[in-house]
Amino acid sequence: MIDDKKTLRARMRALRDEFAMTIGGAIEAPPALVARFAPGVVVASYLPVGSEADPSAIAWAAAERGCTIVLPHVTDRASELRFFEWRPGQPLVDGPLGLRQPIPDAPQRTPQIALTPLLAFDRSLNRLGQGAGFYDRYFAQFPDIWRIGIAWSVQRVETLATDDWDMALHGAVTEDGCYGEAAA
């Protein structure tokens, strides 16, 4: 286990970058996750930045089943994460940190399911994010959100060091499998 999160983040970014160049494509929606999609359910997704695993196939499966899709929106590194409604074809704007996000006057919603980007996750479903704490702070504020990490298989590690503010996932989905409640 690497205790230094900065070192681990750099290592996992490099591993993810290399892997994503060879595999590409979107992560498919597993049946256990699709079973949770229903009209009226609000599902948070994201547009991948760099080599992040692409959740678009899962988001489309949710939309096809009547879910409302929301995307993250931030104004700067110190701001709180918010989620705004978005439908395919609606305009997106450039945000900080390389984000493409909905326009600021789109309706703000709290998701029930969050497809969550990450750098690494472990067998206990601890999540290592980019380090800004956006998702951990949001999930601490709304702990009932069903948190599903979206990742490449190479992002799974045995054990992650955690801090008191880290919010574990309920499940994770990769190109070759599901973990936790995403598999049940």
Side-chain angles (χ1 to χ4, degrees):
M1 174 172 65
I2 296 176
D3 289 328
D4 175 17
K5 287 186 176 183
K6 184 176 181 179
T7 301
L8 182 58
R9 281 187 179 97
R11 186 176 127 226
M12 295 309 296
R13 266 189 209 99
L15 191 61
R16 183 184 73 184
D17 290 348
E18 183 178 326
F19 186 79
M21 285 187 342
T22 64
I23 193 154
I27 303 293
E28 294 300 316
L33 184 52
V34 171
R36 290 185 176 250
F37 297 152
V41 173
V42 178
V43 176
S45 189
Y46 61 92
L47 299 175
V49 175
S51 61
E52 288 179 337
D54 183 353
S56 62
I58 301 171
W60 299 146
E64 287 174 355
R65 284 158 186 77
C67 295
T68 299
I69 303 301
V70 295
L71 297 177
H73 187 280
V74 297
T75 54
D76 57 44
R77 195 169 181 83
S79 69
E80 292 298 315
L81 176 65
R82 297 177 295 164
F83 288 95
F84 291 157
E85 282 187 29
W86 181 78
R87 288 179 182 77
Q90 288 183 325
L92 294 167
V93 296
D94 291 331
L97 311 169
L99 293 177
R100 297 279 299 149
Q101 53 192 26
I103 57 174
D105 60 352
Q108 184 175 333
R109 301 288 297 274
T110 302
Q112 288 129 325
I113 299 171
L115 307 177
T116 309
L118 51 82
L119 283 170
F121 71 99
D122 69 14
R123 64 178 174 206
S124 297
L125 296 172
N126 294 306
R127 172 187 171 272
L128 179 71
Q130 295 285 354
F134 287 114
Y135 280 90
D136 287 320
R137 287 192 307 272
Y138 192 85
F139 293 150
Q141 192 177 14
F142 300 100
D144 294 334
I145 295 172
W146 201 57
R147 303 176 297 276
I148 302 298
I150 307 299
W152 301 116
S153 56
V154 297
Q155 294 175 262
R156 186 170 188 253
V157 299
E158 192 63 25
T159 306
L160 288 171
T162 60
D163 293 306
D164 292 342
W165 57 82
D166 290 331
M167 297 291 292
L169 301 166
H170 293 101
V173 180
T174 70
E175 83 287 352
D176 71 351
C178 302
Y179 304 88
E181 294 178 33

